[in-house]
């Protein structure tokens, strides 16, 4: 076999080095090699072994490349002959993937390091250079998107001005971005979607801030740019703006343009645009054109809102038959909601009951309830609207609507329509028919029975038939104990019987059932006032004021309570708030003037009394105060006009005529005073005060009639003495003050024999009369109208 082996003797021996020993390939020492053992324990050491194809021996004089990609010596065993192969020259890998852990620089005696741990840590990453044009463009584009998001967030939070500022800044940044792209030669990379988003957001924010011309201009920029596909839909937004501007012809034009650019595939969008077109035609009074749009919608995709609008159009045109057909279409519109029975838990399956409780008040169920409530509202409103128009009488019309509703999916609305029929009778002041209609529900189910009994109780209470009102209040409570209106009616009947403790219980129970029941809270405050629990009444009315911020009655009651609690400053503050709500209420102005008068602030009192007289020149208390004020301040000429007004209001009262004559005399106009006294004497010949002043004036002026008036005065005085003797025998002598205030048919008598002018006192004296509430006048003025109970709401 060695015959074919030819040994080369020259210096270029390709087999030299085969006998050299390399400790790296010594398998016996591998167990003690720490580097090799570490490599075996790594993931690389667990990889399957790699096989290398060794070249044959007949390779000439060129170096041999191995799969390891190294240059070195390799020992080959060829039968009994040891050959040494010297590998030198450049490394040349023989596979596409270099083996992990091996490099071409591996030399004899190097340590096996497959993970490269001996090289040290990796060099740090190079910092990003933000100064390059491309990086600047990316940063600017990111900022534009952030500004758009900030603008939308500000709008959702109600900051409309901030949202507009952010939208404008986004527009400026986006234009700068486009210029940078053009300058860098990347005009082809301009982002049209970003431009569209910026312009669209800016137009929306303009519209939200009522800057309609700017919004329309921005929308025009979008619509006219052919780079934006489907931008024609934005003409709907432009039409909405024209609608807000009441430019209805242009709104119709743009709605139709938008409708032309939307394909039939988008059916829902087209239906909404058609509905808008119909509404615009209604605003323009073109009901026939509106009917065309609404009828098309009801034939393609019916909904309750469009059905209601169609009924309104037919009602406006007076088409009785079409009103009936439209009502039938309205109650036939499917709501697309499930049955309420699925929310009733069953007693068998616990897991199913838990699921039912979870979905009972979820968003979907709330949406279903809102949709059903809206449909019922439209149906009830339509029935009340068309009932008087579709038949000869509204009762017959209601009966037809009830029959239609009973045969539809809204069967439960039939009873509500019957109650509305009774309420319509009530509005027409046909109380007999209203009572008869409501009494028909006494044998109905509990909810309807309670509503009917509540209204009956309210009717009888208004008619002051408190016994019947109490009976029907009890009936309503027995049918539905949680009906707050029934509890209020029951409390009212207790209130008028002055059983305030019982009334308090019912009002409190009504508040427990409905904490937002303002009538119960108001009446509870009045009850506390009657029980002299003023602090509790004050707390109740303050709570009520937090609910009804602009209620004049509540403010008036608060002012009165502070007055009763000896806090006039707080009372005046509340009356000032009340004046801001009802600036022309004469009673409130008079009350405010009286409080200032008690505080000694005459100028402010004069201002409010004058305003009260200007708005209501028939309040005798105000007239008397103003006349007395001008007499006290020596402006008798001004006082005359107020006393003359009192003469017109109470012509049988001699008091005002004497005051006019006194003003003339005080101002030095004796002739006019004499004529006035003579006129008073002709009307009231037995008035001693008039005769006394006639005697004095005639004496001072040297007139001949002095003896005549003196004789008449003596006769009247003698008659007065005889009358007083008769009264004293019966023990009914009147007080001096009462004598000075005669009745409508009694002559005016002074409190003594003194001169009237010399003993003049402010006719008002202290303010004993309390004004009435701003809303109603009642007979009991001394109790500040706290008899007023809150009105009970009729069921809706």
């Amino acid at each position: 076999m060695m015959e074919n082996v030819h040994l080369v003797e020259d210096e270029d021996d390709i087999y030299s080095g085969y006998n050299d020993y390399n400790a790296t390939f010594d398998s016996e020492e591998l167990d003690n090699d720490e580097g090799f053992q570490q490599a075996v324990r790594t993931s690389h050491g667990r990889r399957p072994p790699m096989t290398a194809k060794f070249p044959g021996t007949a390779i000439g004089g060129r170096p041999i490349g191995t799969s390891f990609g190294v240059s070195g010596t390799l020992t080959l065993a060829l039968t009994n002959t040891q050959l040494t192969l010297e590998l030198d020259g450049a490394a040349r890998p023989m596979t596409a993937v270099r083996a992990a852990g091996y490099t071409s620089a591996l030399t004899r005696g190097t340590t096996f390091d497959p993970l490269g741990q001996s090289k040290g840590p990796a060099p740090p990453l190079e910092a990003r250079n933000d100064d390059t044009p491309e990086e600047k463009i990316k940063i600017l584009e990111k900022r534009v998107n952030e500004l758009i998001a900030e603008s939308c967030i500000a709008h959702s939070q109600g900051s409309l001005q901030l949202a507009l500022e952010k939208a404008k800044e986004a527009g400026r940044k986006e234009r700068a971005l486009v210029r940078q792209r053009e300058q860098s030669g990347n005009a082809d990379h301009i982002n049209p979607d970003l431009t569209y988003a910026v312009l669209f957001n800016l137009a929306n924010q303009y519209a939200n801030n009522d800057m309609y011309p700017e919004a329309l201009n921005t929308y025009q920029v979008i619509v006219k740019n052919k780079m934006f596909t489907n931008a024609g839909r934005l003409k709907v937004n432009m039409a909405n703006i024209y609608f807000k501007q009441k430019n209805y012809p242009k709104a119709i034009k743009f709605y139709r343009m938008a409708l032309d650019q939307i394909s039939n595939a988008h059916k829902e969008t087209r239906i909404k645009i058609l509905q808008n077109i119909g509404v615009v035609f209604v605003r323009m009074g073109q009901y026939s054109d509106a009917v065309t749009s609404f009828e098309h919608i009801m034939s393609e995709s019916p909904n309750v809102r469009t059905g209601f609008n169609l009924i309104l159009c037919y009602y406006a045109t007076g088409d009785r038959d079409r009103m009936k057909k439209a009502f039938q279409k309205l109650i036939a519109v499917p709501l697309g909601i499930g049955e309420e029975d699925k929310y009733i838990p069953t007693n068998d399956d616990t897991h199913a009951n838990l699921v039912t409780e979870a979905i009972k008040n979820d968003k979907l169920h709330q949406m279903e309830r809102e949709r059903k409530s809206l449909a019922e509202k439209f149906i009830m409103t339509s029935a009340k609207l068309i009932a008087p128009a579709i038949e000869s009488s509204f009762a017959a019309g209601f009966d037809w609507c009830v029959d239609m509703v009973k045969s539809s999916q809204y069967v439960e609305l039939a009873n509500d329509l019957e109650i509305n029929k009774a309420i319509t009778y009530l509005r027409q002041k046909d109380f007999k028919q209203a009572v008869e209609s409501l009494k028909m529900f006494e044998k109905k189910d509990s909810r309807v029975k309670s509503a009917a009994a509540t209204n009956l109780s309210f009717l009888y209470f208004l008619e002051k038939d408190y016994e019947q009102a109490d009976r029907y209040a009890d009936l309503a409570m027995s049918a539905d104990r949680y009906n707050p209106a029934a509890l209020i009616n029951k409390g009212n009947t207790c209130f008028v019987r002055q059983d305030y403790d019982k009334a308090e219980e019912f009002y409190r129970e009504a508040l427990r059932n409905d904490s937002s029941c303002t009538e119960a809270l108001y009446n509870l405050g009045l009850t506390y006032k009657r029980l002299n629990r003023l602090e509790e009444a004050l707390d109740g009315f303050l709570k009520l004021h937090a609910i009804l911020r602009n209620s004049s009655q509540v403010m008036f009651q608060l002012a009165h309570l502070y007055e009763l609690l000896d806090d006039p400053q707080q009372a005046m503050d509340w009356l000032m708030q009340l004046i801001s709500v009802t600036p022309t209420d004469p009673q409130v102005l008079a009350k405010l003037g009286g409080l200032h008068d008690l505080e000694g602030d005459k100028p402010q009192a004069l201002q409010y009394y004058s305003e009260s007289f200007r708005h209501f020149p028939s309040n005798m208390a105000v007239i008397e105060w103003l006349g007395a004020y001008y007499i006290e301040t020596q402006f008798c000429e001004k006082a005359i006009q107020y006393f003359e007004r009192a003469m017109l209001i109470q012509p049988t009262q001699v008091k005002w005529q004497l005051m006019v004559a006194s003003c003339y005399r005080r101002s030095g106009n004796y002739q006019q005073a004499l004529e006035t006294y003579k006129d008073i004497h002709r009307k009231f010949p037995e008035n001693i005060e008039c005769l006394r002043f006639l005697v004095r004036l005639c004496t001072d002026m040297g007139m001949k009639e002095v003896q005549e008036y003196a004789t008449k005065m003596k006769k009247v005085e003698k008659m007065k003495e005889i009358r007083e003797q008769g009264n004293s025998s019966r023990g009914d002598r009147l007080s001096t003050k009462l004598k000075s205030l005669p009745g409508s048919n009694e002559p005016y008598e002074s409190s003594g024999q003194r001169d009237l002018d010399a003993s003049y006192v402010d006719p008002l004296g202290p303010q004993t009369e309390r004004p009435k509430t701003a809303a109603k006048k009642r007979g009991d003025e001394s109790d500040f109208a706290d008899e007023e109970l809150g009105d009970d709401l009729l069921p809706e």
Side-chain angles (χ1 to χ4, degrees):
M1 196 172 182
M2 296 297 295
E3 298 175 352
N4 298 324
V5 177
H6 302 281
L7 300 177
V8 180
E9 299 293 335
D10 56 2
E11 299 177 356
D12 191 13
D13 187 359
I14 63 174
Y15 296 106
S16 61
Y18 272 88
N19 293 327
D20 295 339
Y21 175 75
N22 192 343
T24 306
F25 300 101
D26 190 356
S27 60
E28 295 179 357
E29 297 295 327
L30 290 178
D31 294 336
N32 300 323
D33 190 345
E34 294 182 2
F36 180 81
Q37 292 300 327
Q38 180 66 25
V40 169
R41 285 193 292 269
T42 62
S43 61
H44 176 75
R46 291 191 294 270
R47 295 178 61 187
M50 300 178 63
T51 59
K53 295 181 179 180
F54 295 95
T57 57
I59 59 174
R62 61 186 180 83
I64 297 176
T66 68
S67 63
F68 297 99
V70 298
S71 179
T73 59
L74 183 63
T75 302
L76 299 177
L78 297 177
T79 64
N80 298 325
T81 306
Q82 296 292 329
L83 299 178
T84 302
L85 179 63
E86 181 71 18
L87 300 180
D88 57 357
R92 181 171 60 86
M94 297 182 65
T95 61
V97 180
R98 186 186 301 271
Y102 293 88
T103 64
S104 60
L106 184 63
T107 58
R108 184 181 301 173
T110 57
T111 305
F112 184 72
D113 188 13
L115 299 179
Q117 297 177 355
S118 62
K119 296 181 180 180
L125 297 175
E126 294 182 2
R128 187 178 63 180
N129 188 5
D130 293 340
D131 294 335
T132 61
E134 190 61 32
E135 288 296 330
K136 289 182 179 179
I137 289 173
K138 288 182 179 179
I139 293 173
L140 191 57
E141 185 172 354
K142 181 181 178 182
R143 180 56 183 160
V144 171
N145 283 296
E146 289 176 352
L147 286 170
I148 294 174
E150 290 173 4
S151 175
C152 296
I153 292 172
H155 173 257
S156 66
Q157 294 175 348
S159 302
L160 302 182
Q161 188 63 34
L162 178 61
L164 179 59
E165 292 299 327
K166 295 288 185 182
K168 288 181 178 179
E169 187 178 354
R172 290 191 293 269
K173 297 285 186 184
E174 195 274 334
R175 289 192 294 272
L177 174 64
V178 172
R179 285 195 299 269
Q180 285 192 14
R181 285 194 182 276
E182 291 175 349
Q183 291 172 3
S184 62
N186 293 329
D188 295 338
H189 294 82
I190 294 176
N191 189 354
D193 295 334
L194 183 62
T195 305
Y196 178 86
V198 169
L199 291 174
F200 181 61
N201 180 59
L202 181 60
N204 275 335
Q205 301 309 331
Y206 275 134
N208 294 332
N209 284 272
D210 296 335
M211 301 172 67
Y212 298 132
E214 292 84 354
L216 290 172
N217 292 336
T218 309
Y219 279 127
Q220 284 287 1
V221 172
I222 302 174
V223 171
K224 290 183 178 180
N225 194 335
K226 298 187 181 299
M227 182 175 59
F228 303 134
T229 58
N230 296 327
R233 297 185 179 186
L234 296 183
K235 291 180 179 178
V236 175
N237 296 19
M238 300 175 69
N240 291 340
I241 292 176
Y242 284 123
F243 180 80
K244 291 178 181 177
Q245 292 179 330
K246 298 185 179 181
N247 190 350
Y248 300 129
K250 273 206 168 185
I252 291 289
K253 176 184 175 182
F254 275 85
Y255 278 134
R256 285 177 171 170
M257 291 169 64
L259 191 64
D260 293 339
Q261 296 184 6
I262 296 177
S263 63
N264 293 327
H266 302 87
K267 183 179 179 181
E268 186 176 353
T269 305
R270 291 178 61 87
I271 290 297
K272 290 181 178 179
I273 295 175
L274 280 172
Q275 187 167 350
N276 288 359
I277 291 174
V279 171
V280 177
F281 276 130
V282 170
R283 290 294 182 90
M284 297 172 66
Q286 300 179 15
Y287 300 112
S288 58
D289 295 327
V291 164
T292 303
S293 297
F294 292 144
E295 283 183 341
H296 177 75
I297 296 172
M298 292 300 289
S299 62
E300 293 291 330
S301 178
N303 60 82
V304 291
R305 189 178 298 274
T306 303
F308 178 68
N309 289 339
L310 185 60
I311 290 175
L312 293 180
C313 291
Y314 286 141
Y315 180 80
T317 56
D319 196 332
R320 179 179 300 183
D321 295 333
R322 289 191 173 183
M323 271 190 275
K324 290 184 176 181
K325 292 179 180 178
F327 186 78
Q328 291 173 339
K329 289 181 180 179
L330 175 62
I331 60 178
V333 172
L335 294 180
I337 61 177
E339 297 293 334
E340 289 291 330
D341 296 341
K342 67 182 179 183
Y343 297 108
I344 300 176
T346 59
N347 297 326
D348 302 332
D349 192 349
T350 306
H351 179 70
N353 291 342
L354 292 175
V355 173
T356 302
E357 289 295 329
I359 66 174
K360 184 178 294 184
N361 292 315
D362 62 355
K363 294 293 183 182
L364 179 60
H365 191 204
Q366 292 176 9
M367 185 189 71
E368 289 178 346
R369 285 201 301 262
E370 291 174 0
R371 184 179 297 179
K372 184 177 181 181
S373 175
L374 181 65
E376 291 176 352
K377 176 184 176 182
F378 283 146
I379 291 172
M380 293 292 294
T381 307
S382 301
K384 289 188 286 186
L385 178 68
I386 68 174
I390 58 177
E391 299 292 345
S392 57
S393 65
F394 86 91
F398 262 111
D399 292 338
W400 182 87
C401 292
V402 169
D403 293 338
M404 291 296 103
V405 168
K406 284 181 178 178
S407 61
S408 70
Q409 56 184 325
Y410 304 99
V411 181
E412 63 274 8
L413 291 182
N415 292 326
D416 293 336
L417 282 174
E418 290 283 0
I419 291 179
N420 273 279
K421 177 182 175 182
I423 294 174
T424 306
Y425 278 124
L426 183 61
R427 290 197 179 106
Q428 294 181 352
K429 299 184 184 298
D430 192 348
F431 299 108
K432 182 179 179 181
Q433 288 290 341
V435 171
E436 290 180 0
S437 299
L438 291 171
K439 284 184 177 179
M440 294 171 57
F441 294 96
E442 292 187 12
K443 297 182 181 180
K444 296 283 185 178
D445 61 86
S446 60
R447 185 183 67 86
V448 180
K449 181 180 179 180
S450 178
T454 300
N455 284 284
L456 284 169
S457 175
F458 179 63
L459 282 173
Y460 284 121
F461 187 85
L462 292 179
E463 293 178 351
K464 297 185 178 181
D465 188 351
Y466 301 126
E467 184 179 352
Q468 288 287 351
D470 186 68
R471 186 173 74 85
Y472 279 102
D474 290 334
L475 182 62
M477 289 166 54
S478 63
D480 183 6
R481 184 68 185 187
Y482 299 101
N483 184 355
L487 292 167
I488 291 173
N489 288 343
K490 180 65 176 178
N492 290 349
T493 57
C494 296
F495 189 96
V496 296
R497 292 197 304 265
Q498 299 183 0
D499 189 357
Y500 302 122
D501 294 328
K502 203 71 175 175
E504 178 192 356
E505 293 180 9
F506 287 112
Y507 295 145
R508 281 187 171 279
E509 186 176 354
L511 285 172
R512 285 194 295 270
N513 295 336
D514 183 6
S515 59
S516 62
C517 185
T518 56
E519 294 81 11
L521 190 56
Y522 185 90
N523 292 351
L524 184 62
L526 296 182
T527 305
Y528 285 145
K529 283 180 65 178
R530 287 302 180 91
L531 294 171
N532 202 29
R533 293 154 63 178
L534 301 181
E535 293 291 346
E536 295 179 63
L538 184 63
D539 291 339
F541 281 115
L542 286 174
K543 291 178 183 177
L544 190 58
H545 176 68
I547 302 172
L548 306 174
R549 304 295 299 182
N550 296 323
S551 174
S552 57
Q553 290 183 339
V554 175
M555 294 181 191
F556 201 71
Q557 293 293 341
L558 285 168
H560 183 229
L561 283 169
Y562 277 114
E563 184 185 9
L564 295 177
L565 291 169
D566 296 328
D567 193 348
Q569 189 58 47
Q570 283 284 355
M572 287 189 285
D573 290 343
W574 280 105
L575 289 175
M576 289 297 296
Q577 291 189 39
L578 178 54
I579 286 178
S580 66
V581 177
T582 57
T584 60
D585 192 298
Q587 297 292 341
V588 178
L589 292 167
K591 181 62 183 176
L592 196 54
L595 289 175
H596 280 288
D597 186 33
L598 290 175
E599 292 294 311
D601 191 353
K602 293 286 186 180
Q604 280 292 96
L606 174 64
Q607 177 184 348
Y608 289 116
Y609 274 124
S610 299
E611 282 293 305
S612 177
F613 177 79
R614 184 170 67 88
H615 293 297
F616 183 62
S618 300
N619 190 330
M620 296 304 299
V622 174
I623 292 172
E624 192 171 1
W625 190 93
L626 288 170
Y629 173 81
Y630 283 116
I631 289 177
E632 183 180 354
T633 55
Q634 304 299 321
F635 289 100
C636 299
E637 295 85 353
K638 285 192 174 183
I640 291 174
Q641 61 176 332
Y642 295 106
F643 293 129
E644 286 179 344
R645 170 71 64 174
M647 287 170 54
L648 295 175
I649 298 172
Q650 295 180 349
T652 60
Q653 289 283 347
V654 70
K655 172 183 178 179
W656 310 118
Q657 300 182 42
L658 288 172
M659 296 300 293
V660 171
S662 177
C663 289
Y664 281 127
R665 190 168 60 83
R666 280 173 171 270
S667 61
N669 193 348
Y670 298 108
Q671 186 62 40
Q672 186 65 39
L674 180 62
E675 295 297 329
T676 305
Y677 280 125
K678 287 181 178 181
D679 186 60
I680 296 172
H681 179 65
R682 284 193 296 269
K683 295 178 180 177
F684 304 95
E686 295 183 356
N687 188 269
I688 297 177
E689 294 292 341
C690 178
L691 290 170
R692 185 180 295 114
F693 283 114
L694 281 172
V695 170
R696 176 174 295 184
L697 283 174
C698 291
T699 303
D700 294 340
M701 298 174 67
M703 300 181 66
K704 299 178 180 180
E705 293 93 340
V706 61
Q707 188 62 38
E708 177 185 354
Y709 292 127
T711 304
K712 289 183 179 180
M713 185 176 64
K714 289 180 180 180
K715 291 181 179 180
V716 171
E717 288 177 348
K718 189 174 182 180
M719 291 175 60
K720 178 183 176 183
E721 290 177 1
I722 296 172
R723 191 180 299 117
E724 287 179 353
Q725 289 176 0
N727 292 336
S728 62
S729 64
R730 293 192 302 269
D732 290 333
R733 182 177 300 277
L734 297 176
S735 66
T736 305
K737 186 174 181 179
L738 289 178
K739 290 180 183 179
S740 64
L741 298 174
S744 58
N745 297 321
E746 292 180 271
Y748 180 85
E749 293 182 359
S750 67
S751 58
Q753 301 297 324
R754 293 176 298 171
D755 187 286
L756 179 64
D757 293 336
S759 61
Y760 179 80
V761 183
D762 185 348
L764 282 180
Q767 286 287 337
T768 57
E769 186 180 41
R770 306 183 190 278
K772 305 157 191 169
T773 58
K776 266 188 181 179
K777 300 176 188 176
R778 300 185 61 87
D780 188 6
E781 297 177 1
S782 63
D783 204 7
F784 207 59
D786 58 5
E787 292 265 1
E788 286 188 28
L789 298 177
D791 295 334
D792 298 325
L793 297 179
L794 296 176
E796 296 181 359

